[in-house]
Amino acid sequence: METNRQKIAALMAGVALVGLVGATPAQAEGSRETYITQWAPGKESGRWTDNNNDSAWTGVYFQGCSTDSSLGYNRTGLQLWKNQDFRPDINKGYRVNYCGWVDWNDPDDAGTYYFRLDSLLNGGYLWVDYVKIGW
């Protein structure tokens, strides 16, 4: 009996994993994995190029968030920007990240992008163990 329960549990875990993998947009143009160490508001991420070959949303996922505050992590404000040479960059919107996923829909505009830490509720510096950027 115990062996059957273990087999059922393994099967269910496999089905859940397939469901998660299947939830990722197959046509997504690109992604990047990184981390954040001691960012203060105003700090910018690395840049990436979205050729707008698809209709995938642009988003940022945070996991393992912390600050230098004794109150701990609560939320951060992020802004997505489109780089423009020799002109002011274009603000594509503000989102609040509670240490999870935020997205800006499909910017529907090819170009070079980055996100900026706009605000931090608790503390002056942010650390994030795992960051995934998708576009």
Side-chain angles (χ1 to χ4, degrees), residues 77-92:
L78 302 174
Q79 288 188 342
L80 180 67
W81 292 88
K82 180 183 177 194
N83 181 67
Q84 295 206 120
D85 293 333
F86 310 112
R87 294 178 293 182
D89 292 348
I90 299 172
N91 184 338
K92 291 292 194 169

Side-chain angles (χ1 to χ4, degrees), residues 48-65:
W48 65 88
T49 300
D50 184 343
N51 294 312
N52 199 35
N53 293 329
D54 56 22
S55 58
W57 290 8
T58 297
V60 178
Y61 174 73
F62 284 179
Q63 180 180 318
C65 305

Side-chain angles (χ1 to χ4, degrees), residues 23-61:
T24 304
Q27 75 279 12
E29 187 172 323
S31 66
R32 174 182 301 157
E33 296 177 0
T34 187
Y35 59 91
I36 290 174
T37 301
Q38 200 170 350
W39 274 26
K43 179 78 174 174
E44 298 175 359
S45 71
R47 296 172 185 228
W48 65 88
T49 300
D50 184 343
N51 294 312
N52 199 35
N53 293 329
D54 56 22
S55 58
W57 290 8
T58 297
V60 178
Y61 174 73

